[in-house]
Amino acid sequence: MVNEIAFPGLGIGSMHIKNTFLFFGFSIHWYGVIIALGIILAYLFAVYEGKKRGVSQDTLLDIVIFGLPAAIICARIYYVIFEWDQYKNNLLDIFKIWEGGLAIYGGVIGACISTFCYCRVKKISFPKVADIGGFGLLIGQAIGRWGNFVNAEAYGAETTLPWRMELVDLGISVHPTFLYESLWNIIIFLLLLWYRKKQKFDGEIFLLYLAGYGLGRFWIEGLRTDSLFLGSLRVSQLVAALCVIVCVALVVFIRLKQEKTSEI
């Protein structure tokens, strides 16, 4: 399939974007390649960061091996729960993940559960590993969103802004929400990279990742046209708001507790 996309306000004419290519006779989806690239780069940075934090490369590789399947499964379960009407009469369709239907928050939940269990069994500090994982998730999400661009999906409502994305085949110009989220993740990554030498406790980077990502996602989700809903409420906005409130409260609470302890 070929998607025709343009950014007329930026002087970028129609681009014919293929979402698949042939490799030794097999049809490969660019979306999968982009996701794989994001995972690889996230892991490489995690290894680099792990050396600074005393977490071995073997440990991080184990976490990825166990975490990826858990993330995919939970991302699918999360999506199916909120789109149950689509699957209740076709249960076998639940397993057709190649047709789309993965939710990032479900993936994060699955990865966290898997990593927490691994750390408990191996007696490793989960907060320390979670800090590394926060950076990895930001890298993976920033790159992975370009898979949505290739597939011409996860876009926002119609707009006339200068940076609008024109979906030529559909005859509409929309918010390029994939780009908004990718850029937001890069900004949060750079801010946390700068801040990491100033962090006050293990786990703070991960909490700030959840809060920072949640802040951007709350706004971006409001622009999208493919949101999951709970009644009339957008699920991702609810989760994002909860992440911001809870994580900021935890950071403040732990810092105040540390200050009181240091005064004793």
Side-chain angles (χ1 to χ4, degrees):
M1 179 177 177
V2 178
N3 297 306
E4 192 172 352
I5 300 173
F7 291 86
L10 301 178
I12 301 175
S14 295
M15 299 176 287
H16 294 80
I17 310 295
K18 292 184 178 181
N19 60 11
T20 62
F21 65 95
L22 289 177
F23 184 74
F24 290 106
F26 293 95
S27 181
I28 307 297
H29 287 261
W30 277 112
Y31 182 88
V33 173
I34 292 170
I35 294 296
L37 177 62
I39 292 170
I40 292 169
L41 292 180
Y43 171 70
L44 291 176
F45 183 86
V47 171
Y48 166 79
E49 188 68 13
K51 291 178 180 178
K52 297 178 178 295
R53 296 175 181 267
V55 180
S56 72
Q57 181 175 344
D58 289 343
T59 294
L60 293 171
L61 182 58
D62 286 344
I63 288 171
V64 171
I65 290 173
F66 288 112
L68 275 177
I72 293 171
I73 291 170
C74 288
R76 184 59 169 176
I77 291 173
Y78 185 103
Y79 181 85
V80 170
I81 287 173
F82 294 107
E83 287 287 333
W84 180 241
D85 286 343
Q86 178 182 337
Y87 297 98
K88 63 182 181 181
N89 296 321
N90 302 283
L91 297 181
L92 290 179
D93 286 352
I94 293 174
F95 302 98
K96 297 178 180 179
I97 61 172
W98 57 87
E99 293 182 355
L102 299 175
I104 183 62
Y105 271 123
V108 173
I109 292 169
C112 285
I113 293 173
S114 172
T115 302
F116 178 78
C117 292
Y118 179 88
C119 289
R120 285 295 299 272
V121 171
K122 296 293 184 178
K123 295 181 172 54
I124 300 170
S125 170
F126 172 72
K128 184 181 292 187
V129 171
D131 281 341
I132 299 171
F135 286 117
L137 286 166
L138 285 168
I139 292 172
Q141 289 169 227
I143 295 172
R145 279 301 172 193
W146 285 87
N148 297 137
F149 169 68
V150 171
N151 284 351
E153 62 186 5
Y155 50 80
E158 293 189 49
T159 182
T160 57
L161 289 170
W163 52 85
R164 64 191 180 276
M165 179 174 70
E166 183 180 347
L167 302 175
V168 179
D169 296 329
L170 299 179
I172 58 175
S173 294
V174 299
H175 283 283
T177 48
F178 82 92
L179 180 60
Y180 296 168
E181 189 165 328
S182 180
L183 292 175
W184 182 255
N185 285 324
I186 292 171
I187 291 170
I188 297 300
F189 174 82
L190 293 175
L191 288 174
L192 293 182
L193 195 63
W194 165 80
Y195 179 75
R196 78 189 195 282
K197 292 183 179 179
K198 305 175 185 293
Q199 72 177 100
K200 304 297 184 182
F201 59 89
D202 287 340
E204 185 179 13
I205 291 294
F206 184 68
L207 291 174
L208 291 176
Y209 150 70
L210 289 175
Y213 174 70
L215 188 64
R217 182 60 185 265
F218 183 86
W219 168 65
I220 294 168
E221 190 67 25
L223 298 174
R224 286 178 58 165
T225 58
D226 61 342
S227 298
L228 298 175
F229 282 88
L230 183 62
S232 60
L233 301 175
R234 297 173 188 262
V235 176
S236 287
Q237 282 191 313
L238 288 174
V239 176
L242 186 63
C243 284
V244 173
I245 294 169
V246 172
C247 292
V248 170
L250 282 173
V251 170
V252 172
F253 173 77
I254 295 172
R255 283 193 167 196
L256 290 175
K257 186 176 180 181
Q258 284 181 329
E259 289 178 5
K260 288 183 180 179
T261 302
S262 64
E263 292 174 358
I264 297 176

